[in-house]
């Protein structure tokens, strides 16, 4: 049976491992979020039909673009 020092050492090692895993996950999530935002900015936002004041027009093409954006977001969530 492990003594108190061994238990503390094992607990500390486990805490370090958990911290490392969380750090890696946060980096992956951040990279995924950046990729999504880049995709939205490059592929969708710049392609909307806008009026003279820069407002997005209510057109069929814009509605289709929004539907595609919704699919991209759904894929991202998966």
């Amino acid at each position: 049976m492990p003594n108190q020092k061994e238990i503390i050492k094992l607990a500390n090692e486990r805490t370090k491992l958990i911290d490392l895993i969380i750090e890696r996950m946060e980096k992956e999530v951040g990279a995924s979020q950046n990729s999504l935002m880049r995709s939205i900015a490059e592929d969708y936002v710049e392609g909307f039909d806008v009026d003279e004041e820069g407002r997005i027009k209510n057109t069929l093409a814009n509605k289709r673009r929004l539907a595609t954006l919704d699919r991209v977001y759904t894929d991202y969530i998966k």
Side-chain angles (χ1 to χ4, degrees):
M1 177 163 226
N3 61 34
Q4 183 179 3
K5 286 183 181 182
E6 291 171 334
I7 292 172
I8 291 171
K9 180 182 174 189
L10 290 171
N12 288 336
E13 288 173 0
R14 178 163 285 221
T15 300
K16 287 178 186 178
L17 177 62
I18 291 169
D19 289 342
L20 179 63
I21 291 169
I22 290 172
E23 183 180 326
R24 285 181 183 168
M25 289 176 66
E26 287 173 343
K27 285 180 182 178
E28 287 181 27
V29 168
S32 182
Q33 288 173 334
N34 289 339
S35 174
L36 174 63
M37 291 308 296
R38 188 173 28 261
S39 175
I40 289 170
E42 292 172 359
D43 299 334
Y44 298 99
V45 174
E46 294 177 0
F48 282 110
D49 296 326
V50 296
D51 64 16
E52 300 80 29
E53 296 175 7
R55 293 180 295 198
I56 297 174
K57 293 180 181 180
N58 185 12
T59 64
L60 182 59
N62 283 345
K63 289 178 183 178
R64 287 182 179 147
R65 185 171 292 281
L66 285 173
T68 302
L69 178 58
D70 188 47
R71 283 192 299 275
V72 168
Y73 180 73
T74 301
D75 290 344
Y76 169 75
I77 295 300
K78 290 179 185 176

